[in-house]
Amino acid sequence: RKEVEQDPGPFNVPEGATVAFNCTYSNSASQSFFWYRQDCRKEPKLLMSVYSSGNEDGRFTAQLNRASQYISLLIRDSKLSDSATYLCAVRFMNRDDKIIFGKGTRLHILP
Amino acid sequence: DAEITQSPRHKITETGRQVTLACHQTWNHNNMFWYRQDLGHGLRLIHYSYGVQDTNKGEVSDGYSVSRSNTEDLPLTLESAASSQTSVYFCASSPGPSGAQYFGPGTRLLVL
């Protein structure tokens, strides 16, 4: 099993809809969790950190489920500009503090 | 504003040549990383550094080297470029053990 796994998609979602992605991780010795957004041919940009109690930033909500070892990202009222690839990232305590990135989930918002 | 920059943004070279990609950050971050990103593989860690004079190998370090002589810079050198090293290279930095990583704009390298 890969350390960090994501459904590659693409998710084709109409504008205004709600969409959610999950990201599973295999190592319980995980410390920090993040969601990044990557536009085509650009660098990954930090979207939000994921906190144990869950956190929200505008239309974006991130959740952590340690028992089932996954994090989730929910996007409400999706916009055309949300079309991108979303990468999850996990820092494992026993991996020299490196961050392991998932391969990303592609999201297409349809007009 | 503090930032992280990479140069060149695009590079074409021939097999066997030595190539150096520059990464410079003005955040005063201790931790710096080099990744390559290829279709089907996602981001793969090449080398990383947790401070001046500290360098460590990542999962795909063969054929690459780095040096860290100051806090701001972590140049990546391809000792003898190979076609398999054609890729997009991203540099990243983070403030410390629990922080997120912040990426530079990337360098697109084509090895002919």
Side-chain angles (χ1 to χ4, degrees):
Chain A
R1 181 181 175 187
K2 294 177 183 167
E3 291 184 289
V4 179
E5 286 196 89
Q6 296 182 253
D7 182 341
F11 284 50
N12 297 310
V13 174
E15 190 176 10
T18 295
V19 60
F21 320 127
N22 283 345
C23 166
T24 59
Y25 58 93
S26 62
N27 192 329
S28 60
S30 50
Q31 185 177 35
S32 309
F33 307 87
F34 310 93
W35 281 104
Y36 285 78
R37 171 195 170 122
Q38 185 173 26
D39 293 292
C40 187
R41 301 174 74 85
K42 297 286 185 68
E43 73 273 25
K45 291 187 177 178
L46 179 68
L47 182 63
M48 56 199 303
S49 301
V50 186
Y51 302 118
S52 296
S53 56
N55 47 300
E56 191 174 300
D57 183 2
R59 296 182 294 109
F60 298 84
T61 301
Q63 298 276 356
L64 166 63
N65 186 318
R66 283 194 184 272
S68 300
Q69 295 186 195
Y70 73 88
I71 62 173
S72 64
L73 177 68
L74 182 124
I75 305 174
R76 290 183 300 277
D77 188 24
S78 53
K79 312 290 185 191
L80 294 175
S81 57
D82 294 332
S83 296
T85 296
Y86 291 84
L87 310 176
C88 67
V90 181
R91 173 180 279 110
F92 298 112
M93 286 185 289
N94 59 356
R95 287 289 305 275
D96 198 19
D97 254 358
K98 294 193 294 290
I99 287 179
I100 309 298
F101 288 84
K103 293 184 180 180
T105 296
R106 284 183 297 147
L107 173 65
H108 295 155
I109 304 300
L110 307 173
Chain B
D1 285 343
E3 60 178 358
I4 180 167
T5 58
Q6 294 183 234
S7 62
R9 296 294 311 278
H10 300 86
K11 175 77 176 177
I12 301 174
T13 191
E14 296 175 341
T15 55
R17 291 191 179 267
Q18 184 181 79
V19 176
T20 296
L21 309 182
C23 175
H24 178 81
Q25 52 97 4
T26 58
W27 284 309
N28 202 36
H29 286 170
N30 283 326
N31 301 350
M32 296 184 72
F33 308 83
W34 273 104
Y35 295 89
R36 59 178 290 174
Q37 187 175 40
D38 306 282
L39 280 174
H41 288 282
L43 287 163
R44 291 186 288 175
L45 184 63
I46 305 171
H47 281 286
Y48 59 103
S49 168
Y50 288 157
V52 176
Q53 303 300 331
D54 176 73
T55 61
N56 306 279
K57 294 182 179 180
E59 62 178 305
V60 290
S61 61
D62 286 349
Y64 303 94
S65 64
V66 293
S67 61
R68 187 90 181 269
S69 58
N70 59 54
T71 301
E72 295 79 16
D73 299 289
L74 187 69
L76 176 71
T77 297
L78 287 66
E79 304 293 345
S80 176
S83 57
S84 60
Q85 294 176 310
T86 291
S87 187
V88 181
Y89 291 86
F90 289 107
C91 178
S93 71
S94 73
S98 60
Q101 292 182 11
Y102 299 90
F103 286 80
T107 293
R108 295 186 175 275
L109 178 67
L110 175 61
V111 183
L112 299 174

